[in-house]
Amino acid sequence: MREITAEHLPDLARGAAVLGAGGGGDPYIGRLLAQRALGRHGPVALVGVDEIDDGALVIPTAFMGAPTVVLEKLPAGDELLAALRAVEELLGRRATHTVSLEAGGLNSMTPFVAAAEAGVPLIDADGMGRAFPELQMLLPTLGGVPASPMALADERGNAVVLRTADNVWAERLARASTVEMGCTAAVSLYVLTGRQVKDHMVPGTLSLCERVGRAVREARTERGDPVAAAAAVLRGRLVFTGRISDVLRSTRGGFARGTARLAGLSGDTGATLELSFQNENLVAARDGEVVVSVPDLICVLDTDTGEPVTTETLRYGLRVSVLGAPCDPRWRSPEGLALAGPGYFGYAHDYVPLSVTDVG
Amino acid sequence: MREITAEHLPDLARGAAVLGAGGGGDPYIGRLLAQRALGRHGPVALVGVDEIDDGALVIPTAFMGAPTVVLEKLPAGDELLAALRAVEELLGRRATHTVSLEAGGLNSMTPFVAAAEAGVPLIDADGMGRAFPELQMLLPTLGGVPASPMALADERGNAVVLRTADNVWAERLARASTVEMGCTAAVSLYVLTGRQVKDHMVPGTLSLCERVGRAVREARTERGDPVAAAAAVLRGRLVFTGRISDVLRSTRGGFARGTARLAGLSGDTGATLELSFQNENLVAARDGEVVVSVPDLICVLDTDTGEPVTTETLRYGLRVSVLGAPCDPRWRSPEGLALAGPGYFGYAHDYVPLSVTDVG
């Protein structure tokens, strides 16, 4: 167990946004919300998965919706606790712990808000090892854990509780409510036992986020290469450096969808990289050839500062470096690829695991 | 108290579809569902509002959605009980009674299903004295009764529970879930005490439906005028007789919307009537001039048989008679008109109460 205070948050949020692979929300907003909660309620206890009992009652929270909208419609913050409490009320039991569902600038910070407000420890883990756009895309789904009972809450006091036939129906019905609530909602779902956290989640994600965030900051301070530093911690590799020449973005069906085109610089001069995204970066294609594909991570960083660039902040003229990083090996199984592989997102290419022979 | 058996259902369903003013669902499907439930569970006790205690716990149910879709996607039937039970579970109490929310071929029959399956008496009343397309449009809304806690259930086992900021938010969030569930869902909402039923609902609606249905049947058997018989019971009047020459219909946003044009016959030869509807008939305009307008009832009947014609069964060539009938006087108050008057539906005309000096 370690205590997380406000001073830990900047590295954590930065690293979480890198692991968010373009999605998972804005790290600045995530950090502000967590800072405010820690300021009001004191530090949060971060515990390892090996420190929790198998019988622990773990209730996660997150924000759902289009990250483009979160930028304009700041969460009030107490929707998260409202969603958590709605699930507790259904179960007739209080959470003993909470946990992050995905790695992301917002959604790895909001669990600190929920932990601080509910007064429970936060488990150092997440459900994906990255961020994904749809809520059934969690390793616990592969492990047979139901997403529902699930609650959604908004800033007006509306609450929606779902019990669904399966996790895809949870996504469909929750997305419809989220869109109606104005394209963002606080959600609480995937109630887990301690045992299920150990069996089906990715351990150590928040510590990994912190190491990535710290590596970027230290490399910057020491005039080193922050992008290379992030790649080393992620065991990934640089796949492209370029300037954003084109961004096509629309917010449809509760998602931020689009493509961005990068004109190569340095070693990539003359080449073009196209990024396709649905909240998260899904495919990176160099001169028409896929070089990194979902479920592997495609992380866009500001080349100079190493700051993560989420899909909603991609903009013309920005000089960026694109990293590929391997996903959790469970995503590479046939079941994992069926749930969140390129075919699910409508791409025709087969998934080829990222080559990381040239790590570093 | 009287016992309702299967033999009472045809008159009840027919009359309910007349009062449904074009909406409220198909009387044939409503009757089939009720027949099956009564066959399985025995007769339903129908009680007057003066027979219930002020402290009764009354939980209504209904089907929500576009009636055009209900015709193609028959309800399984047990979704109603699932929705009712979900509300009971939230309250931690069992319903002592159930009641109809609206008059309509489907939605005045489904309460018999819920009453039979839950084994509780059905109160002879409804929440509108007609049917309306949106769920906040109930007299209990005018009386300050919240629509939520509310539950929706579908045939796949999905259940959604809402606690909303107000009754318009209940409509918005429930509509979004209904659309996602395939444009129809069973709902349970407007939990009422016995006192609230007495204060805010329309007493005797089911008996009135039965009288209308019986009058039509008897007039037909006796080679009388079934349309005039219905008008007399409703204290309304015939406003037009004609042949349907044009129907424009679309199912959008979970509603069946459109217009129908009638070419006049008999005394109306040479004139045209245009009906505008959103699930229910909202406005009848004769040669461009509004003759009946929501919240008054516009009921379309087959001229020969007096059978009600719902908006989803309007079709080219049908010879129909259009009745106007006065709404419950509470709908004519400024608050009632704000909730369900022509302005709410986007019409520019002021509401002029139907003239019924020429009753009969």
Side-chain angles (χ1 to χ4, degrees):
Chain A
M1 198 277 280
R2 34 186 300 238
E3 282 203 338
I4 301 294
T5 61
E7 69 193 44
H8 298 99
L9 297 177
D11 283 348
L12 260 163
R14 183 185 306 114
V18 174
L19 263 79
D26 188 82
Y28 179 69
I29 294 172
R31 181 158 64 83
L32 284 186
L33 288 173
Q35 266 175 351
R36 187 175 60 175
L38 268 57
R40 282 184 191 165
H41 303 282
V44 162
L46 186 67
V47 298
V49 294
D50 50 346
E51 293 178 80
I52 56 171
D53 289 338
D54 284 358
L57 180 64
V58 184
I59 307 185
T61 60
F63 275 102
M64 180 164 180
T68 36
V69 174
V70 176
L71 283 181
E72 288 162 20
K73 176 170 167 271
L74 278 179
D78 51 359
E79 307 95 319
L80 286 166
L81 191 64
L84 178 72
R85 292 289 187 234
V87 170
E88 287 180 332
E89 195 184 326
L90 269 179
L91 300 175
R93 291 171 64 197
R94 282 293 169 102
T96 60
H97 298 75
T98 190
V99 70
S100 177
L101 290 175
E102 67 177 2
L106 182 63
N107 274 338
S108 291
M109 292 295 101
T110 49
F112 287 95
V113 176
E117 292 186 347
V120 295
L122 174 62
I123 302 169
D124 185 3
D126 88 310
M128 309 181 191
R130 51 166 294 159
F132 273 126
E134 300 181 16
L135 70 73
Q136 75 277 17
M137 296 172 175
L138 255 83
L139 293 173
T141 294
L142 293 183
V145 179
S148 79
M150 161 174 191
L152 297 91
D154 74 8
E155 72 284 7
R156 299 170 200 88
N158 292 311
V160 175
V161 170
L162 307 177
R163 286 185 191 272
T164 59
D166 58 36
N167 293 359
V168 173
W169 271 105
E171 161 65 27
R172 289 184 60 171
L173 290 167
R175 189 71 52 183
S177 290
T178 297
V179 169
E180 202 58 40
M181 285 173 164
C183 272
T184 59
V187 294
S188 181
L189 65 166
Y190 285 101
V191 175
L192 298 138
T193 62
R195 183 72 249 160
Q196 289 173 317
V197 170
K198 295 172 197 180
D199 288 346
H200 304 304
M201 298 192 87
V202 182
T205 300
L206 295 176
S207 298
L208 176 63
C209 291
E210 194 179 21
R211 287 201 304 278
V212 171
R214 187 193 306 130
V216 167
R217 174 174 51 80
E218 288 179 351
R220 199 160 55 198
T221 311
E222 295 156 8
R223 298 184 183 278
D225 180 346
V227 171
V233 179
L234 287 172
R235 300 179 172 279
R237 68 177 174 90
L238 178 68
V239 295
F240 202 81
T241 303
R243 195 177 296 280
I244 299 176
S245 60
D246 210 8
V247 183
L248 192 69
R249 183 167 25 222
S250 68
T251 302
R252 273 181 298 137
F255 295 107
R257 299 172 196 261
T259 53
R261 206 179 296 269
L262 279 65
L265 295 170
S266 327
D268 297 309
T269 304
T272 298
L273 192 84
E274 186 169 281
L275 291 171
S276 304
F277 54 87
Q278 175 184 336
N279 290 10
E280 283 72 34
N281 297 309
L282 298 179
V283 179
R286 183 193 177 104
D287 295 333
E289 189 193 341
V290 174
V291 287
V292 197
S293 164
V294 69
D296 285 327
L297 285 70
I298 302 167
C299 311
V300 179
L301 278 61
D302 182 293
T303 302
D304 295 328
T305 65
E307 286 297 316
V309 180
T310 56
T311 57
E312 70 273 17
T313 54
L314 291 167
R315 63 168 203 278
Y316 177 81
L318 209 61
R319 205 156 69 96
V320 296
S321 297
V322 179
L323 298 184
C327 62
D328 186 281
R330 287 167 282 187
W331 288 122
R332 295 179 169 182
S333 69
E335 300 75 24
L337 290 171
L339 192 61
Y344 178 85
F345 290 103
Y347 295 101
H349 66 268
D350 287 330
Y351 169 68
V352 177
L354 177 75
S355 135
V356 285
T357 46
D358 47 348
V359 165
Chain B
M1 198 279 278
R2 36 185 298 239
E3 280 202 341
I4 301 294
T5 60
E7 70 193 42
H8 297 100
L9 297 177
D11 283 348
L12 261 163
R14 182 185 304 112
V18 175
L19 264 80
D26 187 82
Y28 179 69
I29 295 173
R31 180 159 64 82
L32 284 187
L33 288 174
Q35 266 175 351
R36 187 174 61 174
L38 268 58
R40 282 185 190 164
H41 303 281
V44 162
L46 185 68
V47 299
V49 294
D50 50 347
E51 293 177 80
I52 56 172
D53 290 340
D54 284 358
L57 179 64
V58 185
I59 308 184
T61 60
F63 275 101
M64 178 163 185
T68 36
V69 174
V70 176
L71 283 182
E72 289 162 20
K73 176 169 166 270
L74 281 177
D78 51 358
E79 309 93 319
L80 286 165
L81 191 65
L84 178 73
R85 292 286 187 238
V87 170
E88 287 180 333
E89 193 185 328
L90 269 177
L91 301 174
R93 291 171 63 198
R94 282 291 169 105
T96 61
H97 299 75
T98 190
V99 71
S100 177
L101 290 174
E102 68 178 1
L106 182 63
N107 274 338
S108 290
M109 291 297 101
T110 49
F112 288 95
V113 177
E117 291 186 345
V120 296
L122 174 62
I123 303 169
D124 185 4
D126 87 310
M128 311 181 189
R130 51 164 294 159
F132 273 125
E134 298 181 17
L135 69 74
Q136 75 278 17
M137 296 173 174
L138 255 82
L139 293 172
T141 295
L142 294 182
V145 178
S148 79
M150 159 170 195
L152 298 93
D154 73 8
E155 72 284 5
R156 298 171 201 89
N158 291 312
V160 175
V161 170
L162 306 177
R163 288 185 189 273
T164 59
D166 58 38
N167 292 1
V168 174
W169 271 105
E171 161 66 25
R172 289 183 61 173
L173 289 168
R175 189 70 52 184
S177 289
T178 297
V179 169
E180 202 58 40
M181 284 173 165
C183 272
T184 59
V187 295
S188 180
L189 65 168
Y190 284 103
V191 175
L192 298 138
T193 63
R195 183 74 249 159
Q196 289 173 317
V197 170
K198 295 171 197 181
D199 288 347
H200 305 305
M201 298 193 89
V202 182
T205 300
L206 295 177
S207 298
L208 177 61
C209 291
E210 195 178 21
R211 287 201 304 280
V212 171
R214 188 193 304 129
V216 167
R217 173 174 51 83
E218 289 178 350
R220 198 160 54 195
T221 310
E222 297 155 8
R223 298 183 183 277
D225 181 346
V227 171
V233 180
L234 287 172
R235 301 179 170 280
R237 67 176 175 90
L238 178 68
V239 296
F240 201 81
T241 302
R243 196 177 294 281
I244 300 176
S245 61
D246 210 7
V247 183
L248 192 70
R249 183 168 26 221
S250 68
T251 303
R252 273 180 298 136
F255 295 108
R257 300 171 195 262
T259 54
R261 204 178 298 268
L262 279 64
L265 295 171
S266 327
D268 298 310
T269 303
T272 297
L273 192 83
E274 184 169 283
L275 292 170
S276 304
F277 54 88
Q278 175 185 335
N279 289 10
E280 282 72 34
N281 296 309
L282 298 178
V283 180
R286 183 193 176 104
D287 295 334
E289 190 192 339
V290 175
V291 286
V292 197
S293 163
V294 69
D296 285 327
L297 285 69
I298 301 167
C299 311
V300 180
L301 277 63
D302 182 293
T303 302
D304 295 327
T305 64
E307 286 297 316
V309 179
T310 56
T311 57
E312 69 272 18
T313 54
L314 291 167
R315 64 169 201 275
Y316 176 81
L318 209 61
R319 205 155 69 95
V320 296
S321 297
V322 179
L323 299 183
C327 61
D328 185 281
R330 288 168 281 187
W331 288 122
R332 295 177 168 182
S333 69
E335 300 76 22
L337 290 171
L339 192 60
Y344 177 84
F345 291 103
Y347 296 101
H349 66 267
D350 286 331
Y351 168 69
V352 177
L354 177 74
S355 135
V356 285
T357 46
D358 46 348
V359 165

